[in-house]
Amino acid sequence: MFNSLSDRLTSTFKNLRTRGRLSEADIDATVREIRRALLDADVAVPVVREFTAAVRERALSSEVSGALNPAQQVVKIVNEELVDILGGATRPLTLAKTPPTVIMLAGLQGAGKTTLAGKLAHALKGQGHTPLLVAADLQRPNAVTQLSVVAERAGVPVFAPHPGNTSEADDPAADAPLIGDPVGVARDGVAYARERQHDVVIVDTAGRLGIDQVLMQQAADIRAAVNPDEVLFVIDAMIGQDAVNTAKAFADGVDFTGVVLSKLDGDARGGAALSVAKVTGRPIMFASTGEKLTDFEVFHPDRMASRILDMGDVLTLIEQAEKTFDAEQAEKMAGKLASGQDFTLADFLVQMQQLKNMGSMKKMLGMLPGMAQMRDQLEQFDEREVGRIEAIIHSMTPAERDNPKIINGSRRARIAKGAGTTTTAINQLLERFDNAQKMMRQMAKGGGMGPGGMPAMPGGPGMGMGKKSRGKTQPPKKGKKGKSGNPAKRAQQEKDAMQRALGGGPAAKPAAPAGSAFGVGPKQGDEAPDLNSIELPPGLEKFLGR
C-alpha cells in the first residue's frame, strides 16, 4: 500500500546523501519533496502541514548542522516524525480485571468488521484466551450467517439468537422493523459469555453506508448497554481523505478507543493510515493485511515507519518465524547434523513447508531492508513455486530422498511425470539442493566460522557457495603439463625432463648465475651433466643445435 510513498521518499533521501553539508536551500527542497509525496499519498492536508513543519524546524537546528552525517540525521528525523503521526508507541488491548473483556467493533459497512472479528478471535485464541463472537449486526443481509462461518473457521463459538435479515427485501431502510433487538442481543451475549466463562467477548455491530444518525445512535446504545473495555473503529485503509471525516464522526458519536486498519494489502495510496491516528488522537492497534485468518498483526508505528522508509521490518519477520518454526524439529535437525548425518531431501521438504506456513513469500521478502529496489523481481515471484517443489519431492521414493545421487535419467523422467513438470525443473531442484547440502556439511564441520570464531563472509572459505567462490578462495592444484604442440617448446620440455632425471629431481635445475636476483651461482666442484653424451630420439638433434 505504501509502495508509491516509499519510492518517493527513498528517491528524495538518495539525492540528499550526495551532499556533504546541507544548506537551507537543500533542506527546503527536501521538505518540499516530502510534502508532495505525502499529498500524493492522500494524507490529510493538516497532517502534512504539521509533519513538514516539524521536519523543517528540526532539520534547520543544530541537531543536523552539528551531525557527522547530516543526510542520515535528516532521515532519522523523518523516521521519528513518521512514528509520531502513526501513534507513537504500540498500544495493546486493555483486558478487564474481572472477565469477560468486552470488545465492540464499529465502522462503515464494507470496512471488514465481520471478517476482522474472526481474525481477532483467532489471534486471541492463539494467546490462550477463550473468545466468544456476538452477532449484533441484524441489519445487513446474511451478516449473522457470515459471522457464523467466520467463527467456525476460527474455531471459536458464536452467540447468534436471531438470524437477522436474510435478503435485500428485509432491508430496514424500507421502514421495515429490525428482526430482533441488536442492543438486547449484545447484552444477552455478554451475560452468556459470563455464564460459560468466556474471558473475551467480541461484539460485531451493524455498519452504515454514511454518517447515519439512527444507526450511530444504535451503536451508542450498544456501548451503553455492554460497557465495553475496548471500542475498535474498523476503517478501510483504501478510502482516502474521507477516512478523516468518518473517523471524526465516530469519535464524536461512539467515542472509540482504538483504530484497526483493514485491507492494508491493497494497492491504494494509504493516506488514511497516516492521517487517522493524528487527527483523532486514538492509536492504531491492529492491521489486517490479507484475506486469511492469519493475515492479522499488531500495529507497531516504529516498524511501519521503517517499512515506509525502506528500512525493513526484521523484528516482525523474526516473530513470525518463531511462531511458525518448530523448536523441537529445529533441535532434532541440529542434532542430526552434529552427529555427522547428511542433510536429505526429506529435511529440505520439512524446511520448505515451514517457510510456506509463515505466509506469503513476497510479504516476508518485502520485510527485508532495501527490498524496494527489487520490487519488480518480487512481483514476478511465483508463490506456487514452493508447492511445485513439494510435488517433486513427494514423487520420489524414500531411497531417492535419502540419496539423490541415485537419481539417473530414467528416474528423473519418472519423477517429472509424477509431479507434472519437466526434467529441467528436476535438475534445477537437485542443483539447488546440492548447494544447500554442501553448506549444511560445512556448518556441521564448523566451516561456517571464519578465523577467530567470526562468521565467514558469503563466498569466503567455509561457505561452499559454488564453484566460482571455491575457485577464488582455494585454487586447484596444478597438475603436470602435457606436451606442447609447438616442436621447439616440446623439445625444451623433453630437455628439461632429462636434465631433472639425470640430476636426481627438481632440485637439480640449473641455478641462476651468481649475483642474480633469483639465486646464487653453482658451488665449486659441482659439474653440470654433459648433454652431448645423451642419446636423443631421432629428429631432435636439430633443436639442440647439434
Side-chain angles (χ1 to χ4, degrees):
M1 171 162 287
F2 300 111
N3 289 350
S4 177
L5 177 60
S6 177
D7 291 343
R8 293 282 297 272
L9 293 178
T10 303
S11 177
T12 301
F13 297 140
K14 184 178 181 181
N15 296 331
L16 197 64
R17 291 188 181 98
T18 60
R19 295 172 172 83
R21 296 184 62 85
L22 300 181
S23 64
E24 185 174 351
D26 294 333
I27 293 175
D28 287 340
T30 301
V31 171
R32 193 181 310 116
E33 289 298 323
I34 293 174
R35 182 186 298 112
R36 290 174 180 173
L38 293 174
L39 291 175
D40 287 345
D42 216 8
V43 181
V45 175
V47 177
V48 175
R49 289 174 180 169
E50 184 177 350
F51 177 82
T52 53
V55 170
R56 187 178 187 278
E57 181 181 357
R58 293 183 60 183
L60 290 173
S61 66
S62 58
E63 182 179 357
V64 172
S65 60
L68 186 62
N69 192 325
Q72 289 186 0
Q73 193 68 22
V74 172
V75 176
K76 178 176 178 291
I77 291 172
V78 173
N79 179 66
E80 291 175 353
E81 294 298 327
L82 270 178
V83 173
D84 182 62
I85 68 171
L86 288 172
T90 305
R91 211 296 243 146
L93 279 173
T94 300
L95 300 178
K97 295 181 179 179
T98 304
T101 299
V102 180
I103 302 173
M104 174 181 168
L105 303 182
L108 295 179
Q109 185 172 326
K113 294 188 304 299
T114 302
T115 304
L116 186 90
K119 292 182 177 181
L120 180 58
H122 183 267
L124 291 172
K125 180 183 177 183
Q127 297 174 9
H129 296 282
T130 55
L132 172 71
L133 297 179
V134 177
D137 182 2
L138 307 181
Q139 174 201 359
R140 182 169 61 88
N142 296 315
V144 176
T145 303
Q146 181 188 358
L147 186 66
S148 300
V149 173
V150 170
E152 182 179 359
R153 289 173 52 198
V156 298
V158 60
F159 180 77
H162 297 282
N165 291 335
T166 56
S167 69
E168 294 290 348
D170 298 326
D171 194 335
D175 296 331
L178 283 173
I179 302 176
D181 178 17
V183 179
V185 169
R187 186 187 300 110
D188 295 343
V190 175
Y192 178 84
R194 190 174 289 108
E195 292 175 1
R196 299 299 178 93
Q197 296 184 348
H198 292 280
D199 64 344
V200 179
V201 180
I202 302 174
V203 182
D204 181 28
T205 63
R208 53 215 40 83
L209 296 176
I211 307 304
D212 189 326
Q213 294 298 331
V214 176
L215 292 175
M216 190 71 75
Q217 183 61 44
Q218 180 189 112
D221 293 341
I222 293 176
R223 170 167 186 156
V226 300
N227 191 23
D229 300 280
E230 294 279 8
V231 179
L232 301 183
F233 173 52
V234 183
I235 185 171
D236 187 343
M238 302 174 66
I239 64 175
Q241 288 283 342
D242 194 50
V244 177
N245 299 329
T246 305
K248 286 182 178 179
F250 272 89
D252 297 336
V254 185
D255 190 21
F256 55 86
T257 60
V259 179
V260 180
L261 294 176
S262 64
K263 306 177 186 178
L264 204 60
D265 57 325
D267 55 359
R269 291 176 289 182
L274 300 178
S275 306
V276 64
K278 194 68 176 178
V279 170
T280 63
R282 308 298 196 279
I284 303 175
M285 298 175 60
F286 300 101
S288 176
T289 58
E291 297 180 358
K292 298 180 180 178
L293 287 175
T294 53
D295 294 335
F296 178 80
E297 59 187 38
V298 177
F299 187 87
H300 300 277
D302 53 343
R303 302 183 189 180
M304 183 57 67
S306 295
R307 293 189 198 181
I308 293 174
L309 297 180
D310 194 26
M311 297 178 183
D313 187 2
V314 180
L315 289 177
T316 300
L317 188 61
I318 293 174
E319 289 176 358
Q320 290 184 0
E322 289 177 345
K323 292 178 183 177
T324 305
F325 281 85
D326 188 354
E328 182 178 351
Q329 183 69 28
E331 186 177 352
K332 181 180 178 182
M333 175 64 65
K336 179 179 180 180
L337 294 176
S339 63
Q341 299 182 44
D342 217 345
F343 183 69
T344 66
L345 276 167
D347 302 326
F348 185 68
L349 176 62
V350 171
Q351 291 193 352
M352 294 299 296
Q353 290 173 338
Q354 290 180 340
L355 281 175
K356 185 178 179 181
N357 293 335
M358 285 182 64
S360 171
M361 293 291 291
K362 291 182 183 179
K363 194 178 298 182
M364 286 189 294
L365 293 173
M367 293 181 185
L368 297 176
M371 292 304 292
Q373 302 174 7
M374 303 179 63
R375 188 170 293 126
D376 293 338
Q377 292 88 330
L378 284 179
E379 292 299 327
Q380 295 174 3
F381 178 78
D382 191 355
E383 295 281 358
R384 297 172 295 179
E385 184 65 23
V386 179
R388 296 190 185 102
I389 293 175
E390 288 182 354
I392 292 173
I393 299 178
H394 281 306
S395 297
M396 298 179 183
T397 64
E400 291 169 343
R401 297 176 197 171
D402 292 338
N403 185 16
K405 293 182 179 180
I406 67 174
I407 303 179
N408 53 19
S410 61
R411 289 176 182 265
R412 292 171 197 245
R414 189 204 79 239
I415 294 169
K417 186 176 180 181
T421 185
T422 62
T423 54
T424 302
I426 309 298
N427 295 335
Q428 292 174 351
L429 172 62
L430 292 177
E431 184 178 355
R432 280 182 287 177
F433 169 74
D434 185 56
N435 292 332
Q437 191 179 50
K438 290 176 181 177
M439 185 179 295
M440 288 294 185
R441 288 171 182 168
Q442 292 291 340
M443 293 174 62
K445 294 177 182 178
M449 301 300 289
M454 295 296 292
M457 296 296 291
M463 289 302 293
M465 296 301 289
K467 296 180 180 178
K468 191 171 182 181
S469 63
R470 289 199 306 271
K472 287 183 179 180
T473 58
Q474 188 177 358
K477 295 181 179 179
K478 294 183 179 180
K480 294 182 179 180
K481 292 184 178 179
K483 292 184 178 181
S484 174
N486 189 317
K489 288 185 177 180
R490 185 167 63 248
Q492 184 64 35
Q493 289 175 355
E494 293 182 357
K495 176 182 175 181
D496 294 341
M498 287 184 291
Q499 195 168 1
R500 286 194 298 269
L502 292 172
K509 284 186 178 181
S516 71
F518 302 97
V520 295
K523 297 179 180 180
Q524 294 182 358
D526 290 347
E527 295 182 359
D530 185 8
L531 298 179
N532 293 322
S533 63
I534 301 174
E535 295 184 2
L536 298 176
L540 294 181
E541 293 85 355
K542 60 180 180 179
F543 298 110
L544 298 179
R546 292 186 186 178

